[in-house]
């Protein structure tokens, strides 16, 4: 059918060349040329549309693949974020524990420093007292008092340094009397 139309169009062109003064024939040729141009543009646009449609399909496929890859990457990043949050929580807990431990150690250090300053003060006072006294027994008494305050706690008062003058109770053994007669008699028994 296309060949038949093309043949007829060629015949119309020949007639228009043969009868150039025929206005109706010239107008028909103009309409045919316009229609052929329109048809050519339509075919061109149709081909462009097909090409654009193929490109669009290809872009959709590409974008779909990229979207899937991005979803996978997002999922991986989300899992990584969750893992990092978990690690951060553990680190925060450890930091809290370390901070509390540091605070305990600082408090303990401050107590030790205070005790050392107290000991230093007691030693300085004892040193001054020892230098000021001339009595040897008093010097030893000051030093002994210092030693007791440094090494023996108030809770552990066992009477260090006191001499127990009580005699043991020997009820089953005869005791030596302290009168002169008893002393004389006991000496002669031997």
């Amino acid at each position: 059918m296309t060949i038949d139309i093309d043949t007829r169009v060629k015949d119309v062109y020949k007639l228009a060349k043969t009868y150039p003064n025929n206005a109706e024939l010239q107008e028909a040729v103009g309409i045919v040329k316009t229609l052929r141009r329109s048809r050519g543009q339509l075919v061109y646009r149709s081909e462009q549309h097909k090409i654009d449609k193929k490109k669009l399909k290809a872009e959709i496929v590409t974008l779909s693949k990229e979207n899937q890859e991005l979803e996978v990457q997002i999922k991986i990043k989300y899992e990584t974020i969750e893992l990092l949050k978990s690690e951060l929580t553990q680190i925060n807990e450890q930091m809290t524990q370390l901070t509390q431990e540091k605070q305990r150690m600082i408090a303990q250090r401050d107590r030790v420093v205070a005790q050392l300053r107290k000991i230093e003060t007691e030693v300085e006072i004892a040193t001054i007292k020892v230098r000021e006294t001339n009595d040897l027994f008093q010097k030893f008494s000051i030093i002994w008092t210092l030693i007791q305050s440094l090494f023996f706690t108030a809770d552990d008062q066992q009477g260090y340094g006191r001499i127990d003058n009580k005699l043991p109770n020997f009820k089953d053994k005869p005791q030596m009397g302290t009168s002169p007669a008893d002393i004389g008699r006991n000496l002669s028994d031997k």
Side-chain angles (χ1 to χ4, degrees), residues 152-185:
F152 306 115
T153 62
D155 297 337
D156 193 22
Q157 292 293 331
Q158 296 180 7
Y160 294 105
R162 293 189 183 130
I163 298 173
D164 184 12
N165 291 326
K166 294 180 190 175
L167 294 174
N169 189 2
F170 298 109
K171 291 183 180 179
D172 57 339
K173 295 182 182 176
Q175 300 293 318
M176 183 171 114
T178 57
S179 69
D182 288 335
I183 293 174
R185 187 179 29 187

Side-chain angles (χ1 to χ4, degrees), residues 1-185:
M1 188 171 183
T2 307
I3 297 172
D4 193 31
I5 291 174
D6 287 340
T7 306
R8 287 187 176 177
V9 169
K10 287 180 185 178
D11 289 342
V12 171
Y13 285 157
K14 286 180 187 176
L15 279 174
K17 282 185 183 180
T18 309
Y19 304 104
N21 293 334
N22 188 343
E24 289 178 0
L25 195 56
Q26 295 302 324
E27 189 176 329
V29 169
I31 291 173
V32 169
K33 285 184 180 181
T34 303
L35 287 174
R36 286 188 81 179
R37 270 189 242 126
S38 295
R39 181 177 166 253
Q41 288 176 354
L42 184 61
V43 169
Y44 175 76
R45 286 184 184 165
S46 178
E47 289 298 319
Q48 270 317 110
H49 179 68
K50 287 179 184 177
I51 292 171
D52 290 345
K53 193 174 177 183
K54 286 180 182 179
K55 285 182 181 178
L56 186 59
K57 283 183 180 179
E59 286 180 19
I60 289 172
V61 169
T62 303
L63 288 174
S64 177
K65 287 180 182 178
E66 289 176 359
N67 189 27
Q68 289 174 351
E69 290 174 4
L70 286 174
E71 286 178 357
V72 169
Q73 289 177 1
I74 287 171
K75 185 177 179 183
I76 291 171
K77 294 215 184 259
Y78 179 76
E79 291 171 355
T80 303
I81 287 171
E82 290 301 316
L83 180 66
L84 289 174
K85 281 182 182 179
S86 173
E87 289 178 7
L88 183 62
T89 302
Q90 290 176 352
I91 289 171
N92 283 336
E93 289 173 0
Q94 290 175 352
M95 290 300 290
T96 301
Q97 290 174 352
L98 289 174
T99 301
Q100 291 171 350
E101 182 65 26
K102 181 182 177 185
Q103 289 172 346
R104 282 193 293 271
M105 291 177 77
I106 288 172
Q108 185 178 6
R109 181 200 65 194
D110 291 344
R111 281 193 299 274
V112 168
V113 168
Q115 289 174 349
L116 288 174
R117 286 186 181 146
K118 179 183 174 193
I119 291 171
E120 183 180 11
T121 303
E122 288 180 18
V123 168
E124 288 175 2
I125 291 171
T127 303
I128 292 170
K129 286 182 179 179
V130 167
R131 286 184 184 155
E132 289 178 351
T133 185
N134 291 332
D135 184 13
L136 188 60
F137 179 76
Q138 186 65 26
K139 287 183 180 193
F140 284 121
S141 176
I142 293 168
I143 292 171
W144 183 245
T145 304
L146 175 66
I147 290 172
Q148 281 182 328
S149 71
L150 294 179
F151 297 108
F152 306 115
T153 62
D155 297 337
D156 193 22
Q157 292 293 331
Q158 296 180 7
Y160 294 105
R162 293 189 183 130
I163 298 173
D164 184 12
N165 291 326
K166 294 180 190 175
L167 294 174
N169 189 2
F170 298 109
K171 291 183 180 179
D172 57 339
K173 295 182 182 176
Q175 300 293 318
M176 183 171 114
T178 57
S179 69
D182 288 335
I183 293 174
R185 187 179 29 187

